[in-house]
Amino acid sequence: MNAASTAVPVIAIDGPSASGKGTIAQRVAEALGFHYLDSGALYRLVALAALRSGVALEDETAVSDLAKQLDVRFCVGRILYNNHIVTDDIRSEICGMGASRVALLPGVRQALLLRQQAFRQAPGLVAEGRDMGTVVFPDAMLKVFLTASAEVRAERRYKQLKEKGIDANMRALLRELHERDQRDSARSVAPLQMAVDARELDSTGIGIDEIVRQVLDWYRQNAARVAGSER
Ligand code: DC
């Protein structure tokens, strides 16, 4: 990273599965005219690539090679892998669980690091995931750790799946969420944890508009403080 790119402001939004990070990050990016990075999509794409090419999800060398060579393009509202639209494919529970497994591999995380940092472009970036504030953008202008109770998160996922016409079972979803949380938090490399300088926001029972407003307020406060100290 050069000095010019580190001057581009980043808002890092981390948190567990289905905490609402995606919706909030996109709304904040839209409000500020910033770029948006869905880092989970990259891990999901690596899982998809491994599943499609018959590579075992534990084979660190082979999966890391896939991560390095990943031919992916993020277009408006669409994700292309090898020139095919995979926007919905990577949202499946199989890709979600697969992503959580390949995310354990240090070689994969290393391969995706520069790719994620390359999204930092003027006028700014809103990046969401598990380690945006701790590892990928440690100098982010604002770090938010978004949480919600497991029950609320399972309900949100249930609704999302039903809306897409995908059959879902609440108890199974809750069990999978606990499993994923456990794996994401317990791994030795870049585990899901709140950065020491992050602001925690529990979205249980709070509407999306209010959360977006809060994140924007925090960002403006921090930006004003930085501008004041540079004067
Ligand atoms: O946010 P998501 O559910 O799309 O992420 C899918 C998986 O990818 C998640 O279980 C853990 C992993 N992940 C990660 O390890 N680090 C990130 N920055 C983003 C996602």
Side-chain angles (χ1 to χ4, degrees):
M1 250 184 297
N2 56 32
S5 72
T6 54
V8 173
V10 174
I11 299 178
I13 303 183
D14 290 304
S17 294
S19 55
K21 304 181 301 280
T23 311
I24 303 301
Q26 285 177 66
R27 290 272 303 269
V28 170
E30 233 168 70
L32 295 169
F34 281 12
H35 299 280
Y36 163 62
L37 166 64
D38 170 4
S39 62
L42 288 171
Y43 289 92
R44 286 171 181 268
L45 280 157
V46 173
L48 182 82
L51 292 166
R52 287 199 175 165
S53 51
V55 164
L57 296 175
E58 296 71 29
D59 184 340
E60 181 162 7
T61 309
V63 182
S64 304
D65 281 346
L66 285 174
K68 277 183 214 149
Q69 291 151 15
L70 208 58
D71 173 11
V72 52
R73 268 183 300 145
F74 288 86
C75 305
V76 189
R78 284 192 313 182
I79 300 174
L80 298 174
Y81 166 62
N82 287 343
N83 286 324
H84 292 287
I85 299 172
V86 293
T87 325
D88 289 336
D89 305 59
I90 62 163
R91 292 290 140 212
S92 68
E93 285 304 294
I94 294 180
C95 278
M97 285 305 263
S100 171
R101 286 168 65 190
V102 298
L104 296 172
L105 308 171
V108 169
R109 305 202 73 87
Q110 188 56 37
L112 294 183
L113 187 62
L114 288 178
R115 213 182 257 267
Q116 294 172 87
Q117 289 172 339
F119 278 78
R120 187 176 200 165
Q121 298 206 0
L125 173 70
V126 182
E128 53 118 335
R130 303 294 187 291
D131 60 345
M132 298 297 97
T134 50
V135 176
V136 183
F137 302 108
D139 63 338
M141 174 88 81
L142 170 67
K143 301 178 186 179
V144 177
F145 195 77
L146 197 64
T147 57
S149 70
E151 288 70 23
V152 164
R153 292 187 286 127
E155 248 167 59
R156 284 183 191 156
R157 173 94 355 124
Y158 182 83
K159 273 195 204 140
Q160 281 169 359
L161 292 172
K162 284 282 173 189
E163 273 163 21
K164 286 186 190 148
I166 301 171
D167 210 23
N169 172 298
M170 264 301 279
R171 276 184 40 202
L173 282 178
L174 198 55
R175 194 179 53 239
E176 277 164 23
L177 266 185
H178 279 305
E179 233 177 82
R180 184 115 57 101
D181 283 355
Q182 169 63 20
R183 190 160 32 218
D184 292 346
S185 308
R187 68 176 176 234
S188 56
V189 192
L192 169 66
Q193 61 182 29
M194 191 167 120
V196 283
D197 49 352
R199 303 251 200 175
E200 188 171 5
L201 189 49
D202 185 342
S203 70
T204 312
I206 309 181
I208 292 172
D209 289 345
E210 202 178 320
I211 300 170
V212 170
R213 213 174 307 126
Q214 175 65 84
V215 173
L216 288 170
D217 278 353
W218 280 338
Y219 172 70
R220 289 182 179 125
Q221 282 165 21
N222 286 6
R225 197 173 315 126
V226 169
S229 67
E230 280 172 356
R231 238 177 262 135

